[in-house]
């Protein structure tokens, strides 16, 4: 059994949806990378702050 072909309009809509999905995937990756970088900086900040606090107590 063969599947019916897509119309040109359907192909265009599908192509547009694919492009939007690719852009969304890239933006999600960029947001993830940014969140990871911020988390690493925050962890470094906390580590340094704890080190300074420990040195002041000692």
């Amino acid at each position: 059994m063969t599947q019916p072909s897509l119309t040109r309009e359907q192909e265009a809509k599908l192509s547009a949806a694919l492009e939007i999905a690719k852009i969304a995937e890239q933006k999600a990756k960029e947001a993830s990378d940014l969140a990871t970088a911020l988390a690493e900086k925050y962890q470094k900040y906390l580590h340094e702050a704890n080190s300074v606090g420990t040195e002041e107590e000692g």
Side-chain angles (χ1 to χ4, degrees), residues 4-6 8 10 14-15 19 25 27 31-32 35-36 39-41 46 49:
S5 298
L6 297 175
R8 288 186 181 192
Q10 289 172 324
L14 190 57
S15 179
E19 288 304 312
E25 179 182 28
K27 294 295 182 185
S32 174
T36 299
E40 289 171 355
K41 284 185 177 185
L46 287 178

Side-chain angles (χ1 to χ4, degrees), residues 32-47:
S32 174
D33 291 345
L34 178 60
T36 299
L38 288 172
E40 289 171 355
K41 284 185 177 185
Y42 185 69
Q43 289 294 324
K44 182 179 176 184
Y45 168 78
L46 287 178
H47 178 72

